[in-house]
Every structure is written in C-alpha cells, then in structure tokens.
Amino acid sequence: MNVENKRVLVLGMARSGIAAAELLLHHGAIPILADSKTEEALGDSLNSLRGTACQFRLGEDPIALLDEADILLISPGVPIDAPVVLAAKEKGVSVTGELEAAYTMLKGDVLAISGTNGKTTTTTLVGKIFENAGRITHVAGNIGYPLSAVAKVSKKEDVSVIEVSSFQLESIKTFRPRVAALLNITEDHLNRHGTMAQYIKLKQRLFENQKPTDVAVLNMDDPVLFKMASKLKGRVAFFSRTQKVPAGAYVENGKIIWLWDGVAKPICDVEQILIPGPHNLENALAATAMACAMGVPAPIIRHTLASFTGVEHRIEKVRVFRSVTYINDSKGTNVDSTIKAVQSMRVPTVLILGGYDKHTDFMPLCKEIVASGKISRIITIGQTAQQIETQLSEAGYTDVEPARSLEEAVNMARDMAQTGGNVLLSPACASFDMFKDFEQRGEIFKQLVNALQ
C-alpha cells in the first residue's frame, strides 16, 4: 500500500494505533490521530508521536475528520460497520485495518494462527520453534505486539508468526499467510458479530487469499473446520489427537506423527510435551503441522515441545499457599476456554467465574462443571455473576457465592479451598466490566494471591 504523502486518519490510539502511526510516518504518510479520549487522557503513551508530522485531533468527532483524509485506518476495536467506517465508504475514503496495512509493508515469510481458543499459546510456540531453527522471528498481532511494529523493521529473510482475531479479519483485503492455522471454533464475540454463522465466516477469511502453494492447517476433530476444508484454495494439513489424518499431524501409539506426500515421520513422544492437558496437545499438533509445512527439522520441533513452558495468564501456576495451589487463567475469556481449564483440574478446585457480558450461553460450561466433579465451590464476579449462578442452578450445581470484587473473591477462595486443592481464576468472560484487559485482571489476581497472609 503506497501511503507516501497520503493523509491517513488513524482511529484508535491503543497499542496497534500508535504502532500504525509510527509505521505510516516511516513510509512518508501524514497520520491524523483520532480517539474518543483526549490527548491529556492518553498521556505518555503518545510520546513517540510528539514532534512528528502527526496531526493530533484527539477527542474530536472522527466522522467530521473524514473530509481531511485519503485513507481511514481502523484499530481492531472499531467494528467494520461502525458509523465512521460506513461514512468513510460513502465519501469514497479508502478503509483499511491495522493488520492489513501492516501486512502490505511487511517483509519475509508470514504464518498466521486464529481460532476461538489456543491462539496465544500456539502462536508463541510456533515462534519458539522458528527461533530455535535459527530464523529471525517476530511474534505479533493480537498477541499484544502490533504487526505494524514488525513491518517497520522486518527483512525478507525473517519470519512473522501472527495471532489473528476475528476483529482483525473483518477488514483484511490482501492478507495472505504462507501457512495459516485455524485451531477451533466455538461461540464467542456474538455481541459484535451477531451470529455464529457470521463468526465462522469471518474466521474462514484467514484463508481467503491463499494460493494452491500455501498451506491451511485445520483441526480435523472440529466438525465446522472439517467441513470448511473443502472450500479452501490452499493445500490442507489436518491435525488431530483422536484419529489418523489424510495429511498433517496426528497421534499414533503415543507419538506425534507428521504425514505429508504419503510419507509418515515421527516427531516426538506425546509425554515429552511439557505443557499439560488435551487442549495443549492440540496446540502442539497445530504448531507441529505449521513448522513441518515450512520444512523445520523434527529434532528442533521435538526440543521446543519438550522445553516450552506455556504463556502468562493461561493455566499459570502462581503460588502454593497453605497447601493450596493458586492458578491464573485470566486468558480464559470464553466458555470453551474455561471448559478446557476445568478439564485440566485433578484435585478439588474453587473456581472464580464471571466478567463482562458478551451475550454468552454458559450452560455447556455448567454441565462440564457438574460432570467433572472437581469444582468444589464457585465464586462469581462481574456483570455475568447472576446469569452464571442461574444457569449453574439449572444444571444442578448450587455451591455458588457472589463476590463484589476480585479481591473479595480471592479472600473467599482462600477460606473455602481444601488442603491439597486449587483456586482457579478462569472467568469464561472478557474483563472490560472491571479491568482494562485480561492481562490486568491476571496481574491483579497474582498480586492479590502473593499478598495472602
């Protein structure tokens, strides 16, 4: 995308918007910075843009700024049907997203991972594999490091491993990963996307621009993704922990096997994988398929799987206090993610649930809680507390108490937990009703746990 001397209205001054403005400056554009917050409210976060060609129009109506712009660049938090986007299209102003704009200026190989759950773990794991293979590797996207920051420094011999959300996929046009993986699809973000059909359609856009020489990695155990395979233009590599695949990565006799062009190659023993749980076996299989499709040698993949310890805020052990293990799963922001966390518990567990309302049905989680037999008590927090308690009761689970804050929930959990048991924060909800993001929620949980006396 040629942006030299173009006036680009950058909407949203969070991390991705700031990085996009810096990238635009690097390519000779004139960024117009817009956000609902004022310059004073945004504070020091804008320091890198002060004294540059950027025009600060913060706190103003972005629709009124469209007459001054050639291009509107939106952050992932801005829906594709937002009034400012629709107004831009009516005025003939080109609209692009941060991911798409950065991609057009990115150099090197591009790999992408999406899915309802497991994105961050798999993206980080794939990044480690390529680092261990000796490649200059950039791990970016929805994981918290904007692709725009990578695009500014990337070289043609580099590899970028990108976590991609449905929000980002709304605004792509040419985004084309050489290898792309879709891990799973379960209900999420319906408050933004409306229906599951629309959510699935957006996730499928990950493969939209692939060619027959590219590779699409899909979870064969997910019926929606198995059906999707026939619609894709790239070569399909499946992964499965329950069955042999026609091509891709699977488990046989306790080993991960890579099958490609009719040749089966053992990668590692399942028991060598350091991160626990069946969901992490799926993440390891997806990462294996992506790395193998790019020609990474098996010993490097094996070493990485055996040494990778996981990511922060995802079933993260915080502390053992009075013979109780406290676990931070703040990244459990939807029902399916928390189901996987519940399935990973092996001892009686006090579960802290609840948060921002994304119009979610919690009944599948409630049924799993009853079936698991490992959740001894539940403490609810946030906007969804009452809904969760009601649906738990409908499922036959009544050991539930509400807390007015996360601090109160941690103190209650300390008093409820059994010796040798767990306290698990896995909210099954986003955090925006009480916190800036799931990371802040997780950090505060860890601070509260480490402060217990």
Side-chain angles (χ1 to χ4, degrees):
M1 184 169 71
N2 181 15
V3 296
E4 188 173 3
N5 296 320
K6 296 286 181 65
R7 298 171 62 81
V8 184
L9 178 60
V10 182
L11 183 55
M13 283 293 108
R15 280 177 289 199
S16 63
I18 292 169
E22 292 172 349
L23 178 62
L24 290 166
L25 286 170
H26 184 70
H27 285 272
I30 305 165
I32 305 168
L33 310 184
D35 195 285
S36 58
K37 295 179 180 178
T38 63
E39 184 175 349
E40 183 180 35
L42 288 164
D44 293 344
S45 65
L46 299 176
N47 282 352
S48 66
L49 301 175
R50 301 187 198 281
T52 68
C54 289
Q55 296 182 9
F56 286 63
R57 306 296 293 273
L58 302 158
E60 298 184 35
D61 178 8
I63 294 178
L65 299 175
L66 289 171
D67 291 334
E68 303 175 29
D70 303 303
I71 300 168
L72 170 65
L73 189 152
I74 56 174
S75 298
V78 180
I80 199 68
D81 59 355
V84 65
V85 177
L86 299 179
K89 291 178 178 178
E90 284 180 10
K91 291 175 177 288
V93 175
S94 176
V95 178
T96 188
E98 184 269 334
L99 178 79
E100 170 68 20
Y103 170 76
T104 65
M105 305 177 199
L106 188 67
K107 300 180 181 71
D109 290 327
V110 175
L111 289 81
I113 296 103
S114 196
T116 306
N117 294 302
K119 295 188 295 296
T120 298
T121 297
T122 306
T123 301
T124 308
L125 176 54
V126 172
K128 289 292 183 186
I129 291 172
F130 279 91
E131 284 178 15
N132 290 338
R135 297 285 299 271
I136 300 298
T137 305
H138 308 280
V139 178
N142 191 60
I143 201 166
Y145 186 67
L147 189 60
S148 291
V150 173
K152 199 166 70 168
V153 298
S154 61
K155 297 178 175 61
K156 63 180 181 180
E157 61 270 20
D158 296 357
V159 58
S160 294
V161 184
I162 308 167
E163 179 184 323
V164 182
S165 72
S166 57
F167 291 6
Q168 292 169 314
L169 288 168
E170 282 185 336
S171 55
I172 64 164
K173 294 174 184 173
T174 65
F175 182 69
R176 177 193 165 193
R178 183 171 168 186
V179 180
L182 190 49
L183 306 178
N184 46 62
I185 292 186
T186 55
E187 184 179 292
D188 201 13
H189 300 304
L190 299 192
N191 57 327
R192 172 149 164 176
H193 301 315
T195 65
M196 270 301 290
Q198 178 63 15
Y199 180 51
I200 293 167
K201 185 178 178 181
L202 282 170
K203 287 293 191 184
Q204 189 174 325
R205 294 200 71 194
L206 183 70
F207 310 108
E208 184 171 276
N209 298 306
Q210 283 195 312
K211 308 294 184 185
T213 52
D214 301 322
V215 177
V217 176
L218 294 170
N219 186 346
M220 191 166 170
D221 299 331
D222 187 311
V224 173
L225 301 188
F226 182 67
K227 184 179 178 182
M228 187 183 293
S230 62
K231 304 172 184 175
L232 306 184
K233 292 173 279 189
R235 187 175 179 186
V236 173
F238 286 110
F239 67 91
S240 171
R241 62 181 177 86
T242 66
Q243 57 190 311
K244 186 175 181 178
V245 301
Y250 63 98
V251 177
E252 185 174 75
N253 298 325
K255 293 182 181 295
I256 289 183
I257 307 295
W258 170 247
L259 176 62
W260 203 241
D261 293 328
V263 178
K265 179 170 64 176
I267 302 299
C268 74
D269 294 338
V270 169
E271 64 182 21
Q272 290 179 279
I273 300 169
L274 191 58
I275 47 177
H279 61 293
N280 278 323
L281 175 54
E282 292 182 355
N283 296 336
L285 286 162
T288 297
M290 296 186 78
C292 286
M294 290 288 291
V296 178
I300 292 171
I301 300 172
R302 184 183 311 120
H303 165 75
T304 310
L305 293 177
S307 58
F308 180 68
T309 57
V311 298
E312 191 178 17
H313 308 301
R314 188 69 180 113
I315 315 185
E316 175 194 9
K317 180 178 173 181
V318 178
R319 180 188 184 191
V320 177
F321 175 67
R322 292 181 182 171
S323 301
V324 174
T325 301
Y326 289 77
I327 301 168
N328 169 30
D329 191 46
S330 183
K331 205 171 189 316
T333 58
N334 57 61
V335 163
D336 192 60
S337 184
T338 297
I339 285 174
K340 288 177 168 60
V342 168
Q343 290 171 341
S344 299
M345 298 300 105
R346 297 289 179 263
V347 295
T349 300
V350 178
L351 173 62
I352 301 173
L353 271 179
Y356 178 73
D357 188 2
K358 292 194 287 184
H359 303 173
T360 298
D361 178 13
F362 294 99
M363 189 53 72
L365 171 60
C366 297
K367 291 178 179 177
E368 181 61 37
I369 286 168
V370 172
S372 78
K374 296 299 183 184
I375 306 303
S376 56
R377 302 286 290 275
I378 289 175
I379 300 168
T380 56
I381 59 174
Q383 287 178 353
T384 57
Q386 185 57 57
Q387 181 191 348
I388 290 171
E389 184 172 351
T390 299
Q391 291 199 269
L392 281 166
S393 179
E394 291 169 359
Y397 190 100
T398 56
D399 291 328
V400 186
E401 288 193 41
R404 289 166 295 184
S405 65
L406 184 56
E407 181 177 10
E408 185 177 45
V410 169
N411 289 331
M412 289 169 62
R414 174 198 57 200
D415 297 335
M416 293 175 180
Q418 301 178 27
T419 299
N422 296 329
V423 170
L424 170 66
L425 170 70
S426 188
C429 297
S431 56
F432 308 125
D433 57 334
M434 300 169 73
F435 307 95
K436 182 178 73 173
D437 50 32
F438 76 84
E439 293 160 312
Q440 185 190 54
R441 177 172 62 188
E443 291 298 337
I444 291 174
F445 175 74
K446 290 194 287 186
Q447 290 169 14
L448 291 168
V449 168
N450 286 320
L452 288 175
Q453 299 290 327

